[in-house]
Amino acid sequence: MAIESGPMHQSFVTHGGYRYAVAPLLMAAACAAGYLAQPSNQQPNGGTWLGLTLGTIAAAMILILMGYGIRRRTFRASVGSATRWLSIHVYLGLCTVVIASLHCGFQFGRNIHTLTYALLCLVVASGCWGVYAYLRYPALLVRVRGNVGRKQLLRKLDDLDGQALALAGSLGSGLRELVIDAIRRTRIGGGPWTQLSARDDSTLLLGAPFQSGFARVVGNAGQQRLIEILARQRAGGGTADAKDTLDKLLTVTGDKAVVQRQLQRDIQLQGLMQFWLYLHLPLSFGLLAALAIHVLTVFFYR
Amino acid sequence: MRIILRRRIRPNPASNRAEYRQVLLRARRLTIGRAPDRHVQIDHAEVSSRHATVCSVLGRLRVRATGRGTVIVNGKRRRNAWLRTGAVMTFGVARLTVEQQRAHGVIVLRLNDPHALSTKKIESANDLSLKEAGLNPRYWSWLLVIGLLCIGFLSPFAGAVISPLRAAIRATPLVPSDALWLPGPLHDRHRAVGDDCNVCHTKPFERVANTACVKCHHTVQHHVAARSPDASLFAGSRCADCHLEHDAQKSLIDRSPVGCVACHADLKSLKPDTRLQDVNDFSRTHPDFELSLLSPVKSNDELVWRPVAVPAATRDAARQESNLNFSHKVHLDPKGVDSPKGRQKLACNNCHQPDAGGRFMLPIRMETHCSGCHTLQFDEADPGAVVPHGDVPRMFKALEEHFSRAFLNPAIGRTVPSKAAPRLPGGEQKILTHDEQRRALAWADSQSVAVARELLEKRVCVECHKITRDPLRAEGPERWRVEPVRLTERWFPRARFSHAAHGTSACSTCHQRVESDDDSATIAMPRVSVCRDCHGDDDRGKVASTCVMCHDFHNAGRGPFSESRPGNTEQARQ
């Protein structure tokens, strides 16, 4: 797991000593120089010869950037390392925004052309989030769960549930059913928002004798409600054996809450590491469609 | 609704009988599903998070599938079903039975879930990744692509190419039309065109033709004579080369010099007989300004005064023959000039005043600008008497009237010589004799001629005007001629200049050495170098000045663009 944390993920930014940043940056700088060299009395615009040139370059760059997806799926070692390609993809993507901005001459409106530009910005912004995710989250993941993998954490949770069941078996049927219900209603992960916000949706169906009146489904985030009830039972008296069992059950439940939290953070960070791609990919294809419409329509009404 | 839910629980190892544990719930509807917040939580692959609800409708129980799945009621798959006592609902392997429907809406349900007897495997029961949670980038990609194609292309395209649909699509709100393709708003001056793109864009994938422009702008003048062969030099030129629409800029005109310089950098290669000099830019290659001077030109054996271009080479020697004697030096004397009110300091704007548009100077008028000091008095004894300006016969008439009156009325103060004086034995009431009248007339005439000669040749008129005398003619109005004043009004007729726009500069910045100029023939019009002090191309610290800042493309009097050959050629091409 340690290999996920440091140098490997940073390497695509600094790969080859920023070698792959040089060419796109030089190109962007050349385009910016061309833009600034335009006569000041002329409104910069996508329709001037410079605008058309910049637009053609930006469109070609978008197609090359989209090609990275194909390249990634049909990986062949001979064509160059994946890191090198990713490094080129990142820097080329950043420069595309610069060139597209110069192409449009910073003229915006409520039209398909500005939508294309906005989509490009969103694609690049989501890509930047991806870069951030790959640089930041692996280290955070290690901090959250140490060197223990998710499968091990899940196994540990199962073990703790097993221990809790075994301990609950010797308790009264009410408590036993409550512990079983808590285990059944323990929630790890869930919907996209629950995963990304690391929310604990665990609940408990609480009825008599632990709750007066009607039974209700109550929140049991971090197993807090169960711990409260067990602690109340422990304080309520009973045999030494029963108290001992409740003590152990409390310890097990506390341990479970810790593991559960680790799992939730793990799911959250893994989710965040993927979520940018769930934006990046659809937005990229949307951009491709908008780009096609943009090019077609500017020549339709010339 | 009150529900007594009897759940089968893990049996006590000591007993073999099935054990049930019941909870009393109160809810508007009983929720069933995999999610932990359901009243009845069932872990099974066939059960969705929010699978179904059971509620009471007018005292009858009804189950309703809330997700995409179905509920099996008494062995039949249903989306909704009424439930009677004894009805069995199946969710995966769990069975929920309606045991009793008691009075006061109390329902007894029995849940038999074999999975509930053991704990679940947490990994399989939860969505631990975004993919498991149902997020699918491919789905969203297709949705976005198809949505964009429909909104951004199909609907507008249908409106653009299928004419019966066009008006309806454009008029219906929220239906995407080709307005979405508009790269920028129409310029304010073209608002009258309306929202119909096809007024100008007549054919798809073809550029807007000049014919579309001259449909409205049929009087716009050509750059060269529209019907001359020179017009063919403009074949292929488009109005839209210079007039940029949908460009979000304040002016419709492309002010860059590129279009002008394309021809004027080497005009001789296009028009060998041109007298215009080549120009590439303002700050380096713009030729010196060519004066246009009002000069006598022979036309049909007659001298006509017309503006004539003075070649740059002879400009230094050029003089303005205006038939006026005027000294700027005298008038701009810092100590002031003599006037009826004493010494008075004059400035340029005492005489040179801009017109309402602020571009040109109003003509100088004797009555407005000169007469304050230059009074046309001729009789010291009668300071109120003046001769009229600008008309020699009228001047004579005025003088004759004055002296006739002076003869009759000595009270005016002029000393009438005794020989000529009327004898009035009977006092003023006596009527003059014929002889007396003749003598009076002769006296008045001789006085008038003497004063007129003095005015015209020595004292008043001649101060400012060039006077010619015809010695063959008798002394009278026909003998003298005040040469008409020929002041050039437009020195640079092909350039636009606004005095108002240059109001922050002193007059002498451009019209140099005027205050030391004693000769009215000296021309004090600026040279290009004076303008270059402030104006440049893209030079830092200079006013960016392109061709159209001073020059018009559409030259008045050249004939409408619509009549030109290029326009016709283009029409023919279409």
Side-chain angles (χ1 to χ4, degrees), chain A residues 201-214:
Chain A
D201 283 344
S202 301
T203 59
L204 205 53
L205 180 63
L206 209 56
F210 309 108
Q211 152 113 2
S212 56
F214 296 101

Side-chain angles (χ1 to χ4, degrees), chain B residues 89-105:
Chain B
M89 292 165 276
T90 311
F91 304 97
V93 292
R95 295 195 307 162
L96 190 62
T97 312
V98 183
E99 277 198 339
Q100 286 174 27
Q101 298 192 50
R102 296 182 191 164
H104 310 297

Side-chain angles (χ1 to χ4, degrees), chain B residues 92-118:
Chain B
V93 292
R95 295 195 307 162
L96 190 62
T97 312
V98 183
E99 277 198 339
Q100 286 174 27
Q101 298 192 50
R102 296 182 191 164
H104 310 297
V106 178
I107 319 292
V108 182
L109 297 173
R110 186 178 73 226
L111 176 67
N112 199 338
D113 181 3
H115 282 183
L117 303 181
S118 63

